[in-house]
Amino acid sequence: MKKCGCFEKNQWYELEKIVGSEYVITDQSEKDVQSIDVWWMTRYCFFQQENFPQPSVIVFPENTDQVRKIVQFCLIHKIHYLARGGGAGDGGGSIPLKGGLVIDLKRMDKIIELNERSLTVRVQAGILQKHLEEFLNRKGYTMNHFPASFNTSALGGFISTNGTGVLSSKYGKISDMVHQLEVVLPNGNLFKSLPVRLHSTGPDYSRLFFGAEGTFGIITEALCKIHYLPEKRSFRAFLLSNLQKGIEAGRQIMVKGLNPCLLRLYDEYDTRHILQKQYGLEKEGCVLIIGFDGMKKIVEAQEEVAYSILEQNEGEDLGEKLAVNWWDNRYRSYYPPLDYICEPWMTAVMDTVAPYEKIETIYWEMKKGVEEGFKSWNAIFHAHFSHWYDWGTSFYPTFLLKDFPSNPHEAIRLYNQILDICVQASIQNGGVVNEHHGIGMRFNRFMKDVSEENYQFSQIIKKALDPESLLNPGKLGLGE
Ligand SMILES: Cc1cc2nc3c(=O)[nH]c(=O)nc-3n(C[C@H](O)[C@H](O)[C@H](O)COP(=O)(O)OP(=O)(O)OC[C@H]3O[C@@H](n4cnc5c(N)ncnc54)[C@H](O)[C@@H]3O)c2cc1C
């Protein structure tokens, strides 16, 4: 006889009363989807391991009040729960480690208010970034947040990992783009930060939730900054003979007060892997793509100064075509068949950020650690420098092993050994554990190493907000 799961449904009747029966899902296929994200380890283990952690139930609320009631339900019944946006995180942040309940926020995708005088938009946090941007574009605006997972991730997900898009050098991280947050706390109460961020009315507590990866509360609404669509947006590529020259040129552009929306420097391997293979470049070296946007006159004045800095640093002007082509296809290299996501290879990104005097050392230490330390596995390391500021820059390194042990335990050990080398290279040379993908489970073990004080402080906050650790346990180095 085919079993129907009716006993399980009975248990969730209270949830059905909150969101409606069609939005309480216990189907195995949905549980499978909600069990994984895009982390290599998750996908690898999902197919290797029996009893991979999975939720008991997935709930789809449509407003803040429903989220509060679901959280109160979890509190009363002592059920673990977590929030899920697009599920495109790549560190295991949305894996329901202890089972329980997944609160999928995709129905919370409403635009609440567009303010065309102060240029803000108030939205529910489950909205996909792509849908928010499409709405704004139709009205003549943009949020200017363009991460490579733009099509698949939600605003709440980006806030939770403090994500960064390709135009960050001018528009900043997501934390620079949000004025106000509404959050359902683990005790079921609602928190709303003050309507403006730049005040002297006590600490700006909204900052607590940027990068908290859903361990301190569930973000339900945000008031975001928007901009007019630019009158002009231009891109140009330059070829630098080596990485050092490229970093120095980028540094000069940023510290001299120029405001490029895009600055992206590829190392030699990435120049070959991405710009030669995918965009037909026929030269060797390090390509730097620079972009400006805004009012035409200002863009042109900035272009002139920036291009002369690049020339002084012996940058060869490759013109607009390659750069514009890159912009038009900017997400393609992150997805199959061009990226490694679906390949049966072992891979990870370990993005980091540091001041200018430290960043190059971190890059070379990581590269040496991977390529020399794991030579017997033909380990490959490559990177691009993608988010630049007037005090430092970040880079996005990838390691790749096309061959790795067939024994899962050995494979996982090897993966973690490579992560150890890379993350320690960053921490020991003045960098951080991660720049924009977050910690999730992947980097849990490094949270103490990067700063014992920071780690203790986050434990105090977690204990105060969620003493029973019901909300997303085992992430961000918090709880097991
Ligand atoms: C191909 C690819 C390219 C990527 N490129 C970029 C990039 O350029 N820049 C970048 O920053 N990231 C990038 N990422 C990483 C990923 O998109 C981000 O980590 C993003 O923040 C995840 O958002 P999501 O909605 O998919 O979140 P999920 O994967 O659903 O969740 C991620 C974490 O956030 C928590 N969370 C989600 N929603 C909420 C909420 N409303 N309240 C509280 N907690 C919540 C979850 O519990 C989990 O801990 C990329 C990922 C992929 C697969």
Side-chain angles (χ1 to χ4, degrees):
M1 189 180 79
K2 192 170 179 295
K3 303 263 185 169
C4 71
C6 52
F7 182 67
E8 221 184 344
K9 272 280 180 195
N10 172 56
Q11 202 183 343
W12 307 121
Y13 175 66
E14 283 181 63
L15 291 173
E16 292 188 355
K17 283 207 292 185
I18 299 171
V19 294
S21 58
E22 66 272 47
Y23 297 116
V24 179
I25 310 287
T26 52
D27 295 351
Q28 188 54 49
S29 54
E30 188 66 29
K31 287 181 184 174
D32 285 345
V33 170
Q34 301 269 355
S35 297
I36 55 170
D37 64 356
V38 191
W39 183 23
W40 177 87
M41 187 69 76
T42 324
R43 285 170 289 129
Y44 179 73
C45 295
F46 181 80
F47 293 107
Q48 300 284 342
Q49 185 187 315
E50 295 275 344
N51 306 322
F52 191 81
Q54 61 170 33
S56 302
V57 61
I58 303 104
V59 203
F60 294 83
E62 70 167 347
N63 57 44
T64 302
D65 192 48
Q66 291 184 353
V67 175
R68 284 187 66 192
K69 288 181 175 147
I70 297 165
V71 168
Q72 282 157 359
F73 169 89
C74 292
L75 208 55
I76 290 166
H77 297 283
K78 308 268 179 269
I79 296 173
H80 291 103
Y81 64 102
L82 60 82
R84 189 172 172 105
D90 71 347
S94 57
I95 308 307
L97 260 187
K98 295 201 167 185
L101 209 137
V102 169
I103 304 177
D104 188 313
L105 292 165
K106 285 192 205 68
R107 280 179 75 218
M108 292 184 56
D109 61 353
K110 312 288 175 307
I111 313 271
I112 299 165
E113 187 190 10
L114 176 68
N115 181 332
E116 297 187 77
R117 193 156 167 80
S118 298
L119 296 197
T120 58
V121 67
R122 187 179 294 283
V123 284
Q124 287 186 306
I127 192 165
L128 289 185
Q129 196 62 40
K130 169 190 161 76
H131 293 158
L132 175 53
E133 184 65 19
E134 284 169 353
F135 165 82
L136 292 172
N137 290 173
R138 284 196 295 275
K139 304 276 182 187
Y141 303 106
T142 170
M143 199 166 139
N144 280 321
H145 187 53
F146 299 113
S149 49
F150 172 83
N151 292 310
T152 48
S153 286
L155 177 65
F158 286 121
I159 294 172
S160 298
T161 48
N162 204 8
T164 323
V166 292
L167 300 188
S168 56
S169 299
K170 179 170 179 183
Y171 299 103
K173 287 172 81 63
I174 193 81
S175 47
D176 299 305
M177 301 178 177
V178 175
H179 290 294
Q180 187 184 28
L181 275 190
E182 179 192 87
V183 182
V184 173
L185 298 173
N187 65 1
N189 287 352
L190 198 62
F191 163 78
K192 205 162 190 159
S193 61
L194 299 187
V196 293
R197 202 156 70 72
L198 304 179
H199 59 71
S200 173
T201 313
D204 173 17
Y205 294 113
S206 70
R207 302 296 98 181
L208 208 56
F209 302 93
F210 289 88
E213 301 184 33
T215 59
F216 293 165
I218 297 183
I219 299 154
T220 45
E221 203 180 288
L223 179 69
C224 305
K225 234 187 237 185
I226 58 172
H227 307 264
Y228 293 115
L229 283 170
E231 190 184 350
K232 179 173 180 186
R233 181 170 278 157
S234 70
F235 299 100
R236 205 168 187 91
F238 288 80
L239 186 73
L240 283 303
S241 56
N242 60 47
L243 195 67
Q244 192 183 21
K245 285 222 158 87
I247 295 176
E248 179 52 19
R251 186 192 74 82
Q252 287 178 16
I253 288 167
M254 296 310 293
V255 299
K256 286 186 176 167
L258 292 174
N259 212 2
C261 58
L262 177 90
L263 203 50
R264 205 172 177 87
L265 173 69
Y266 290 90
D267 73 358
E268 278 96 341
Y269 186 99
D270 247 6
T271 294
R272 280 195 298 276
H273 174 64
I274 297 178
L275 297 161
Q276 289 184 358
K277 213 163 105 190
Q278 298 171 28
Y279 294 92
L281 174 78
E282 288 177 349
K283 298 187 178 217
E284 294 288 327
C286 294
V287 165
L288 183 148
I289 301 179
I290 186 164
F292 289 94
D293 67 6
M295 290 162 79
K296 194 164 169 279
K297 269 192 178 166
I298 298 175
V299 166
E300 285 165 1
Q302 294 224 19
E303 282 173 339
E304 197 186 321
V305 184
Y307 299 166
S308 85
I309 292 175
L310 282 156
E311 269 166 35
Q312 284 156 26
N313 283 277
E314 297 161 23
E316 179 189 339
D317 188 349
L318 299 176
E320 286 178 0
K321 200 170 155 217
L322 172 75
V324 171
N325 194 5
W326 174 87
W327 171 254
D328 291 343
N329 294 285
R330 61 192 178 277
Y331 304 133
R332 281 187 57 217
S333 54
Y334 293 92
Y335 295 91
L338 299 174
D339 195 50
Y340 313 135
I341 287 179
C342 283
E343 297 289 349
W345 298 335
M346 178 187 280
T347 184
V349 290
M350 298 87 44
D351 40 296
T352 188
V353 58
Y356 283 114
E357 72 276 11
K358 298 187 169 148
I359 199 76
E360 222 191 308
T361 308
I362 298 174
Y363 170 88
W364 290 113
E365 286 298 311
M366 266 198 205
K367 188 171 171 65
K368 189 173 78 183
V370 172
E371 291 183 349
E372 290 179 15
F374 301 91
K375 204 173 185 167
S376 56
W377 292 102
N378 295 318
I380 294 168
F381 176 92
H382 53 99
H384 53 268
F385 291 66
S386 38
H387 309 295
W388 296 70
Y389 308 101
D390 53 9
W391 51 268
T393 180
S394 75
F395 68 93
Y396 181 107
T398 303
F399 83 73
L400 172 68
L401 260 62
K402 293 190 177 176
D403 187 24
F404 59 90
S406 55
N407 177 305
H409 294 272
E410 285 173 28
I412 288 168
R413 188 177 309 117
L414 180 63
Y415 177 94
N416 282 312
Q417 284 167 345
I418 303 178
L419 275 201
D420 280 351
I421 294 288
C422 292
V423 178
Q424 291 302 349
S426 177
I427 296 174
Q428 285 166 16
N429 291 288
V432 292
V433 179
N434 194 259
E435 191 272 330
H436 66 261
H437 287 99
I439 300 302
M441 297 163 58
R442 181 167 56 142
F443 294 127
N444 261 344
R445 65 184 182 280
F446 302 107
M447 291 305 276
K448 263 192 201 164
D449 297 348
V450 69
S451 163
E452 177 82 36
E453 298 84 355
N454 210 66
Y455 178 70
Q456 280 174 9
F457 192 65
S458 59
Q459 277 192 318
I460 291 168
I461 296 168
K462 177 71 174 170
K463 265 217 164 73
L465 291 175
D466 182 21
E468 293 175 272
S469 203
L470 294 177
L471 175 56
N472 208 4
K475 316 294 165 60
L476 213 64
L478 296 167
E480 70 333 338

mmCIF file of all heavy atoms in Angstrom, residues 43-70:
data_model
loop_
_atom_site.group_PDB
_atom_site.id
_atom_site.type_symbol
_atom_site.label_atom_id
_atom_site.label_comp_id
_atom_site.label_asym_id
_atom_site.label_seq_id
_atom_site.Cartn_x
_atom_site.Cartn_y
_atom_site.Cartn_z
ATOM 1 N N ARG A 43 26.397 19.438 -2.194
ATOM 2 C CA ARG A 43 25.971 18.652 -3.364
ATOM 3 C C ARG A 43 26.676 17.306 -3.399
ATOM 4 O O ARG A 43 26.096 16.286 -3.743
ATOM 5 C CB ARG A 43 26.213 19.449 -4.653
ATOM 6 C CG ARG A 43 25.169 20.559 -4.828
ATOM 7 C CD ARG A 43 25.507 21.493 -5.945
ATOM 8 N NE ARG A 43 26.639 22.326 -5.591
ATOM 9 C CZ ARG A 43 27.713 22.494 -6.347
ATOM 10 N NH1 ARG A 43 27.796 21.892 -7.496
ATOM 11 N NH2 ARG A 43 28.696 23.259 -5.954
ATOM 12 N N TYR A 44 27.948 17.308 -2.989
ATOM 13 C CA TYR A 44 28.712 16.058 -2.988
ATOM 14 C C TYR A 44 28.114 15.083 -1.966
ATOM 15 O O TYR A 44 27.820 13.931 -2.280
ATOM 16 C CB TYR A 44 30.178 16.383 -2.655
ATOM 17 C CG TYR A 44 31.079 15.182 -2.590
ATOM 18 C CD1 TYR A 44 31.457 14.516 -3.753
ATOM 19 C CD2 TYR A 44 31.553 14.712 -1.364
ATOM 20 C CE1 TYR A 44 32.287 13.403 -3.689
ATOM 21 C CE2 TYR A 44 32.382 13.613 -1.293
ATOM 22 C CZ TYR A 44 32.748 12.962 -2.456
ATOM 23 O OH TYR A 44 33.558 11.863 -2.390
ATOM 24 N N CYS A 45 27.902 15.580 -0.741
ATOM 25 C CA CYS A 45 27.431 14.683 0.329
ATOM 26 C C CYS A 45 25.972 14.278 0.145
ATOM 27 O O CYS A 45 25.578 13.191 0.544
ATOM 28 C CB CYS A 45 27.613 15.338 1.700
ATOM 29 S SG CYS A 45 29.336 15.607 2.100
ATOM 30 N N PHE A 46 25.192 15.153 -0.451
ATOM 31 C CA PHE A 46 23.776 14.833 -0.666
ATOM 32 C C PHE A 46 23.645 13.513 -1.439
ATOM 33 O O PHE A 46 22.768 12.700 -1.157
ATOM 34 C CB PHE A 46 23.108 15.978 -1.440
ATOM 35 C CG PHE A 46 21.644 15.754 -1.702
ATOM 36 C CD1 PHE A 46 20.708 16.003 -0.702
ATOM 37 C CD2 PHE A 46 21.199 15.292 -2.928
ATOM 38 C CE1 PHE A 46 19.350 15.795 -0.927
ATOM 39 C CE2 PHE A 46 19.850 15.084 -3.163
ATOM 40 C CZ PHE A 46 18.923 15.331 -2.163
ATOM 41 N N PHE A 47 24.564 13.319 -2.390
ATOM 42 C CA PHE A 47 24.476 12.094 -3.195
ATOM 43 C C PHE A 47 25.258 10.928 -2.592
ATOM 44 O O PHE A 47 25.132 9.801 -3.025
ATOM 45 C CB PHE A 47 24.960 12.371 -4.627
ATOM 46 C CG PHE A 47 24.038 13.308 -5.358
ATOM 47 C CD1 PHE A 47 24.412 14.621 -5.607
ATOM 48 C CD2 PHE A 47 22.777 12.890 -5.762
ATOM 49 C CE1 PHE A 47 23.548 15.496 -6.251
ATOM 50 C CE2 PHE A 47 21.908 13.759 -6.406
ATOM 51 C CZ PHE A 47 22.294 15.066 -6.654
ATOM 52 N N GLN A 48 26.106 11.213 -1.578
ATOM 53 C CA GLN A 48 26.929 10.148 -0.997
ATOM 54 C C GLN A 48 26.290 9.564 0.253
ATOM 55 O O GLN A 48 26.466 8.403 0.565
ATOM 56 C CB GLN A 48 28.312 10.693 -0.580
ATOM 57 C CG GLN A 48 29.140 11.287 -1.695
ATOM 58 C CD GLN A 48 29.760 10.219 -2.575
ATOM 59 O OE1 GLN A 48 29.849 9.064 -2.176
ATOM 60 N NE2 GLN A 48 30.156 10.594 -3.776
ATOM 61 N N GLN A 49 25.592 10.443 1.007
ATOM 62 C CA GLN A 49 25.214 10.059 2.365
ATOM 63 C C GLN A 49 23.734 9.719 2.494
ATOM 64 O O GLN A 49 22.878 10.464 2.028
ATOM 65 C CB GLN A 49 25.532 11.230 3.310
ATOM 66 C CG GLN A 49 25.294 10.888 4.766
ATOM 67 C CD GLN A 49 25.447 12.114 5.662
ATOM 68 O OE1 GLN A 49 26.382 12.879 5.514
ATOM 69 N NE2 GLN A 49 24.520 12.285 6.586
ATOM 70 N N GLU A 50 23.490 8.598 3.151
ATOM 71 C CA GLU A 50 22.111 8.269 3.537
ATOM 72 C C GLU A 50 21.706 9.287 4.598
ATOM 73 O O GLU A 50 22.542 9.780 5.337
ATOM 74 C CB GLU A 50 22.084 6.885 4.210
ATOM 75 C CG GLU A 50 22.457 5.732 3.307
ATOM 76 C CD GLU A 50 21.272 5.216 2.515
ATOM 77 O OE1 GLU A 50 20.132 5.550 2.880
ATOM 78 O OE2 GLU A 50 21.514 4.509 1.524
ATOM 79 N N ASN A 51 20.456 9.544 4.736
ATOM 80 C CA ASN A 51 19.941 10.433 5.784
ATOM 81 C C ASN A 51 20.598 11.806 5.802
ATOM 82 O O ASN A 51 21.001 12.305 6.846
ATOM 83 C CB ASN A 51 20.120 9.814 7.181
ATOM 84 C CG ASN A 51 19.505 8.441 7.250
ATOM 85 O OD1 ASN A 51 18.453 8.220 6.659
ATOM 86 N ND2 ASN A 51 20.162 7.520 7.928
ATOM 87 N N PHE A 52 20.752 12.396 4.649
ATOM 88 C CA PHE A 52 21.261 13.774 4.599
ATOM 89 C C PHE A 52 20.244 14.651 5.340
ATOM 90 O O PHE A 52 19.042 14.446 5.207
ATOM 91 C CB PHE A 52 21.394 14.216 3.134
ATOM 92 C CG PHE A 52 22.135 15.500 2.973
ATOM 93 C CD1 PHE A 52 23.517 15.519 2.985
ATOM 94 C CD2 PHE A 52 21.452 16.705 2.835
ATOM 95 C CE1 PHE A 52 24.212 16.711 2.854
ATOM 96 C CE2 PHE A 52 22.135 17.897 2.709
ATOM 97 C CZ PHE A 52 23.522 17.898 2.716
ATOM 98 N N PRO A 53 20.729 15.642 6.157
ATOM 99 C CA PRO A 53 19.771 16.449 6.926
ATOM 100 C C PRO A 53 18.686 17.044 6.031
ATOM 101 O O PRO A 53 18.990 17.561 4.950
ATOM 102 C CB PRO A 53 20.632 17.579 7.504
ATOM 103 C CG PRO A 53 22.022 17.126 7.400
ATOM 104 C CD PRO A 53 22.103 16.090 6.325
ATOM 105 N N GLN A 54 17.465 16.948 6.477
ATOM 106 C CA GLN A 54 16.382 17.545 5.693
ATOM 107 C C GLN A 54 15.306 18.085 6.630
ATOM 108 O O GLN A 54 15.196 17.660 7.776
ATOM 109 C CB GLN A 54 15.791 16.521 4.728
ATOM 110 C CG GLN A 54 15.197 15.304 5.411
ATOM 111 C CD GLN A 54 14.413 14.446 4.428
ATOM 112 O OE1 GLN A 54 14.753 14.364 3.262
ATOM 113 N NE2 GLN A 54 13.361 13.828 4.901
ATOM 114 N N PRO A 55 14.536 19.043 6.138
ATOM 115 C CA PRO A 55 13.489 19.592 7.009
ATOM 116 C C PRO A 55 12.330 18.609 7.128
ATOM 117 O O PRO A 55 12.146 17.754 6.259
ATOM 118 C CB PRO A 55 13.042 20.844 6.257
ATOM 119 C CG PRO A 55 13.338 20.562 4.827
ATOM 120 C CD PRO A 55 14.542 19.662 4.796
ATOM 121 N N SER A 56 11.540 18.752 8.190
ATOM 122 C CA SER A 56 10.320 17.949 8.305
ATOM 123 C C SER A 56 9.207 18.594 7.509
ATOM 124 O O SER A 56 8.298 17.935 7.038
ATOM 125 C CB SER A 56 9.880 17.858 9.764
ATOM 126 O OG SER A 56 10.896 17.298 10.523
ATOM 127 N N VAL A 57 9.294 19.923 7.407
ATOM 128 C CA VAL A 57 8.204 20.637 6.753
ATOM 129 C C VAL A 57 8.717 21.973 6.212
ATOM 130 O O VAL A 57 9.654 22.549 6.766
ATOM 131 C CB VAL A 57 7.030 20.840 7.757
ATOM 132 C CG1 VAL A 57 7.450 21.658 8.958
ATOM 133 C CG2 VAL A 57 5.813 21.460 7.102
ATOM 134 N N ILE A 58 8.117 22.415 5.116
ATOM 135 C CA ILE A 58 8.485 23.712 4.539
ATOM 136 C C ILE A 58 7.236 24.581 4.530
ATOM 137 O O ILE A 58 6.173 24.151 4.076
ATOM 138 C CB ILE A 58 9.026 23.567 3.099
ATOM 139 C CG1 ILE A 58 10.228 22.611 3.094
ATOM 140 C CG2 ILE A 58 9.458 24.921 2.542
ATOM 141 C CD1 ILE A 58 9.925 21.256 2.570
ATOM 142 N N VAL A 59 7.383 25.806 5.050
ATOM 143 C CA VAL A 59 6.237 26.715 5.160
ATOM 144 C C VAL A 59 6.508 27.955 4.321
ATOM 145 O O VAL A 59 7.623 28.467 4.305
ATOM 146 C CB VAL A 59 6.034 27.182 6.625
ATOM 147 C CG1 VAL A 59 4.617 27.627 6.844
ATOM 148 C CG2 VAL A 59 6.397 26.106 7.588
ATOM 149 N N PHE A 60 5.475 28.435 3.643
ATOM 150 C CA PHE A 60 5.622 29.599 2.764
ATOM 151 C C PHE A 60 4.713 30.735 3.249
ATOM 152 O O PHE A 60 3.578 30.862 2.794
ATOM 153 C CB PHE A 60 5.235 29.223 1.328
ATOM 154 C CG PHE A 60 6.146 28.215 0.679
ATOM 155 C CD1 PHE A 60 5.980 26.854 0.893
ATOM 156 C CD2 PHE A 60 7.173 28.627 -0.165
ATOM 157 C CE1 PHE A 60 6.817 25.925 0.284
ATOM 158 C CE2 PHE A 60 8.017 27.707 -0.773
ATOM 159 C CZ PHE A 60 7.836 26.351 -0.547
ATOM 160 N N PRO A 61 5.197 31.580 4.172
ATOM 161 C CA PRO A 61 4.364 32.697 4.645
ATOM 162 C C PRO A 61 4.267 33.781 3.579
ATOM 163 O O PRO A 61 5.114 33.850 2.680
ATOM 164 C CB PRO A 61 5.140 33.222 5.854
ATOM 165 C CG PRO A 61 6.557 32.866 5.572
ATOM 166 C CD PRO A 61 6.539 31.593 4.776
ATOM 167 N N GLU A 62 3.242 34.643 3.717
ATOM 168 C CA GLU A 62 3.167 35.742 2.745
ATOM 169 C C GLU A 62 3.308 37.116 3.387
ATOM 170 O O GLU A 62 3.374 38.115 2.683
ATOM 171 C CB GLU A 62 1.888 35.660 1.904
ATOM 172 C CG GLU A 62 0.613 35.969 2.647
ATOM 173 C CD GLU A 62 -0.571 36.182 1.691
ATOM 174 O OE1 GLU A 62 -0.345 36.327 0.468
ATOM 175 O OE2 GLU A 62 -1.701 36.193 2.184
ATOM 176 N N ASN A 63 3.367 37.168 4.726
ATOM 177 C CA ASN A 63 3.577 38.473 5.360
ATOM 178 C C ASN A 63 4.281 38.314 6.713
ATOM 179 O O ASN A 63 4.446 37.190 7.216
ATOM 180 C CB ASN A 63 2.249 39.230 5.507
ATOM 181 C CG ASN A 63 1.228 38.426 6.303
ATOM 182 O OD1 ASN A 63 1.559 37.838 7.339
ATOM 183 N ND2 ASN A 63 -0.008 38.377 5.824
ATOM 184 N N THR A 64 4.651 39.455 7.279
ATOM 185 C CA THR A 64 5.423 39.467 8.523
ATOM 186 C C THR A 64 4.653 38.824 9.667
ATOM 187 O O THR A 64 5.219 38.101 10.490
ATOM 188 C CB THR A 64 5.774 40.925 8.890
ATOM 189 O OG1 THR A 64 6.506 41.477 7.804
ATOM 190 C CG2 THR A 64 6.606 41.017 10.145
ATOM 191 N N ASP A 65 3.360 39.099 9.722
ATOM 192 C CA ASP A 65 2.561 38.552 10.809
ATOM 193 C C ASP A 65 2.601 37.019 10.791
ATOM 194 O O ASP A 65 2.726 36.370 11.834
ATOM 195 C CB ASP A 65 1.119 39.072 10.671
ATOM 196 C CG ASP A 65 0.336 38.779 11.930
ATOM 197 O OD1 ASP A 65 0.870 39.065 13.021
ATOM 198 O OD2 ASP A 65 -0.780 38.223 11.828
ATOM 199 N N GLN A 66 2.524 36.450 9.601
ATOM 200 C CA GLN A 66 2.592 34.983 9.504
ATOM 201 C C GLN A 66 3.968 34.479 9.950
ATOM 202 O O GLN A 66 4.070 33.449 10.623
ATOM 203 C CB GLN A 66 2.295 34.537 8.066
ATOM 204 C CG GLN A 66 0.842 34.768 7.661
ATOM 205 C CD GLN A 66 0.511 34.253 6.271
ATOM 206 O OE1 GLN A 66 1.383 33.817 5.522
ATOM 207 N NE2 GLN A 66 -0.765 34.313 5.915
ATOM 208 N N VAL A 67 5.028 35.219 9.598
ATOM 209 C CA VAL A 67 6.369 34.791 10.037
ATOM 210 C C VAL A 67 6.428 34.793 11.565
ATOM 211 O O VAL A 67 6.924 33.845 12.188
ATOM 212 C CB VAL A 67 7.481 35.704 9.444
ATOM 213 C CG1 VAL A 67 8.847 35.323 10.002
ATOM 214 C CG2 VAL A 67 7.491 35.634 7.925
ATOM 215 N N ARG A 68 5.883 35.843 12.169
ATOM 216 C CA ARG A 68 5.885 35.910 13.646
ATOM 217 C C ARG A 68 5.159 34.710 14.249
ATOM 218 O O ARG A 68 5.634 34.094 15.203
ATOM 219 C CB ARG A 68 5.169 37.185 14.113
ATOM 220 C CG ARG A 68 6.001 38.428 13.950
ATOM 221 C CD ARG A 68 5.316 39.601 14.577
ATOM 222 N NE ARG A 68 5.214 39.448 16.025
ATOM 223 C CZ ARG A 68 4.469 40.211 16.805
ATOM 224 N NH1 ARG A 68 3.752 41.174 16.285
ATOM 225 N NH2 ARG A 68 4.444 40.023 18.090
ATOM 226 N N LYS A 69 4.016 34.386 13.670
ATOM 227 C CA LYS A 69 3.241 33.261 14.229
ATOM 228 C C LYS A 69 3.991 31.936 14.053
ATOM 229 O O LYS A 69 3.951 31.065 14.926
ATOM 230 C CB LYS A 69 1.863 33.200 13.566
ATOM 231 C CG LYS A 69 0.967 34.338 14.041
ATOM 232 C CD LYS A 69 -0.400 34.258 13.414
ATOM 233 C CE LYS A 69 -1.307 35.340 14.005
ATOM 234 N NZ LYS A 69 -2.268 35.863 13.051
ATOM 235 N N ILE A 70 4.675 31.796 12.936
ATOM 236 C CA ILE A 70 5.440 30.549 12.711
ATOM 237 C C ILE A 70 6.584 30.457 13.730
ATOM 238 O O ILE A 70 6.842 29.402 14.313
ATOM 239 C CB ILE A 70 6.001 30.506 11.264
ATOM 240 C CG1 ILE A 70 4.867 30.480 10.245
ATOM 241 C CG2 ILE A 70 6.908 29.294 11.074
ATOM 242 C CD1 ILE A 70 5.297 30.789 8.820
#
